[in-house]
Amino acid sequence: MLSEPTSAAAPGVRPLSPRNTLYLQVLAGIVLGGVLGYVKPAWGVELKPLGDAFVNLVKMLIGPIIFTTVVVGLAGMGDLKKVGRVGAKALIYFEIVTTLALVIGLVVSNVFRPGDGFHATAETLAKGAGSVTKYTSAAQGMGTVDFLMHIIPKTFVSAFSEGEILQVLLLAVLFGLALGKLGDHGRPILNLLNEVARVFFGIVSIVTKLAPLAAGGAMAYTIGQFGLGSLAKLGGLLLCVYLTCAVFIVIVLGGIARAAGFSLWKIIRYVREELLLVLGTSSSESALPALMDKMEKVGCARPVVGIVVPSGYSFNLDGTCIYLTMAALFVAQATDTPLTLGEQLVLLGVLLLTSKGAAGVTGSGFITLAATLGAMGKIPVAGMALILGVDRFMSEARAITNFIGNTVATLVVAKWDKSFDASKAGEILAGKK
């Protein structure tokens, strides 16, 4: 087993700096972008590349950051049993919390029934069927076996070139464990990877300076393209999704955090810059590198961060789970498709599988919804066209919920595994550092 270099305790560059001004800059960008998109919709639509370019820049760095962080951490841990223990605890946590999110979405949809009164006919659905074709096509290969097989990359390099988080994580775990077994012979490689990690976090700090511009451009596009008018048409669904996500964050995640000895408000304040970035870009993946860095700095052990955060982006999508149940039942209600309690439980069971294949990027929730409705066979997939116009607005709510959910999960699993520095976290969350 290799002992991790002392300089590797955490990358030396803070991705989001300076902390005291960046979140204000991002917030200003979101507000100005929204105003521009409303006043000059055509201009707002033209600003779409700003948000897309930023997300692509971050996604470009995610693979190398996950690989180097996990390898260095696991090489120091050097014990497959410990890795399995952390992974098992994380998966148990993910399964419990995401199932709870699915159930809450199901209950809220049945109580408030936001789709009642639409009475969408076959003729109405046929007009919008073409708009959901690309999502139904993307959803055809989302079987459970296909998803599990997809975790294994075709080649070592393809995992990075295709940007597949779980594939990179698998390679990193294998590489880190093998490196740990080399003992002192592997130390030069360990030191090199530690310094490479510092370089990539340095690149993140450079890219993050563009966050206000990116968030403004993305918000301008959302308002300019879809308009505030579409919000009014489907206001009931949007209100239900946002309120349900807010209640889930405050009550469920807040309760979990409190039970583990954390203050949810302090956690949110600690990651406020990343939350605004997620809000502006509608993608929780845009803040993944910064989240990994901050979780290490707040006292979570690097191996735990390296396993929980990347896997959480595929298996712990609380906001996406809420959205999926509410959107599926909305389509059923809007198309006057009756669902018995048994059929709703079947829907819940299907979502337990399909929701685990959703990635933390914009549009993935819609693809997963298409796969779920296709697997059910009763709710018309063409009914997704009814919510396509406001899906972008709902993506902000689910992305923020996903991000906060993974932040809480990392802290809880780290403390559960006794891989957490409580004194360090107390000072940082209290704002003393």
Side-chain angles (χ1 to χ4, degrees):
M1 181 181 78
L2 292 176
S3 59
E4 192 175 332
T6 55
S7 60
V13 184
R14 180 178 292 278
L16 297 178
S17 175
R19 283 186 58 196
N20 60 338
T21 62
L22 182 66
Y23 78 97
L24 293 175
Q25 295 171 20
V26 174
L27 181 60
I30 292 173
V31 173
L32 292 175
V35 171
L36 177 62
Y38 178 72
V39 176
K40 294 286 186 180
W43 293 7
V45 172
E46 293 299 320
L47 293 180
K48 184 177 186 291
L50 293 179
D52 291 345
F54 180 82
V55 173
N56 289 337
L57 282 171
V58 174
K59 288 174 67 176
M60 170 186 74
L61 300 169
I62 287 175
I65 285 175
I66 290 176
F67 183 79
T68 53
T69 301
V70 175
V71 167
V72 172
L74 293 186
M77 181 185 287
D79 187 347
L80 183 59
K81 290 183 179 179
K82 291 183 180 180
V83 176
R85 183 187 66 204
V86 173
K89 289 178 179 178
L91 289 177
I92 291 171
Y93 176 93
F94 296 162
E95 192 61 37
I96 293 173
V97 177
T98 53
T99 300
L100 189 57
L102 289 170
V103 171
I104 290 174
L106 203 68
V107 172
V108 172
S109 293
N110 278 287
V111 171
F112 293 98
R113 301 188 64 83
D116 282 356
F118 273 74
H119 305 299
T121 62
E123 189 175 310
T124 303
L125 298 179
K127 293 179 181 178
S131 61
V132 300
T133 301
K134 64 177 181 179
Y135 297 104
T136 54
S137 299
Q140 289 177 353
M142 288 191 63
T144 303
V145 175
D146 294 326
F147 171 70
L148 294 175
M149 290 298 294
H150 188 66
I151 296 177
I152 304 174
K154 296 177 183 177
T155 66
F156 192 94
V157 177
S158 67
F160 297 90
S161 62
E162 296 174 7
E164 296 288 348
I165 294 178
L166 290 181
Q167 292 184 1
V168 173
L169 182 59
L170 174 63
L171 291 176
V173 169
L174 295 175
F175 196 101
L177 292 174
L179 183 61
K181 293 181 180 299
L182 292 179
D184 290 338
H185 294 288
R187 183 166 297 282
I189 299 176
L190 182 65
N191 291 333
L192 174 63
L193 288 176
N194 180 64
E195 297 307 316
V196 170
R198 290 177 178 275
V199 173
F200 279 110
F201 273 102
I203 297 174
V204 170
S205 70
I206 296 172
V207 170
T208 305
K209 288 181 171 60
L210 301 174
L213 190 63
M219 187 58 68
Y221 164 74
T222 299
I223 302 297
Q225 175 68 32
F226 302 108
L228 294 177
S230 60
L231 294 178
K233 293 178 183 177
L234 295 167
L237 175 61
L238 283 168
L239 185 61
C240 280
V241 170
Y242 272 81
L243 286 179
T244 305
C245 285
V247 169
F248 182 85
I249 290 171
V250 173
I251 296 179
V252 178
L253 295 181
I256 293 172
R258 192 179 305 110
F262 300 105
S263 164
L264 181 65
W265 170 247
K266 290 181 179 180
I267 294 172
I268 291 176
R269 186 178 61 184
Y270 179 59
V271 295
R272 62 185 182 272
E273 298 97 336
E274 291 81 3
L275 281 173
L276 286 173
L277 182 57
V278 170
L279 173 65
T281 60
S282 300
S283 170
S284 57
E285 200 169 44
S286 62
L288 188 154
L291 177 61
M292 294 182 70
D293 179 68
K294 282 196 168 182
M295 289 298 95
E296 284 187 50
K297 284 181 168 61
V298 82
C300 299
R302 173 176 285 193
V304 174
V305 173
I307 293 173
V308 177
V309 175
S311 58
Y313 268 68
S314 281
F315 298 107
N316 188 42
L317 304 178
D318 304 328
T320 301
C321 289
I322 291 172
Y323 158 81
L324 287 172
T325 49
M326 299 190 75
L329 288 184
F330 175 86
V331 173
Q333 294 162 4
T335 56
D336 297 321
T337 305
L339 293 177
T340 64
L341 177 60
E343 288 171 331
Q344 291 191 34
L345 292 177
V346 170
L347 172 65
L348 185 66
V350 173
L351 285 170
L352 285 173
L353 297 176
T354 56
S355 63
K356 299 304 182 290
V361 294
T362 303
S364 63
F366 215 64
I367 295 172
T368 306
L369 178 61
T372 303
L373 298 186
M376 277 285 295
K378 184 168 184 178
I379 305 174
V381 180
M384 291 170 54
L386 296 172
I387 60 175
L388 183 60
V390 295
D391 181 72
R392 177 81 185 200
F393 292 103
M394 288 188 286
S395 69
E396 276 96 356
R398 61 181 183 249
I400 288 174
T401 308
N402 290 342
F403 184 82
I404 296 176
N406 280 314
T407 303
V408 172
T410 307
L411 290 168
V412 171
V413 173
K415 191 167 184 179
W416 187 6
D417 192 60
K418 299 181 180 179
S419 303
F420 182 72
D421 188 338
S423 60
K424 184 177 181 181
E427 293 181 354
I428 293 177
L429 293 179
K432 295 180 181 178
K433 283 190 177 182

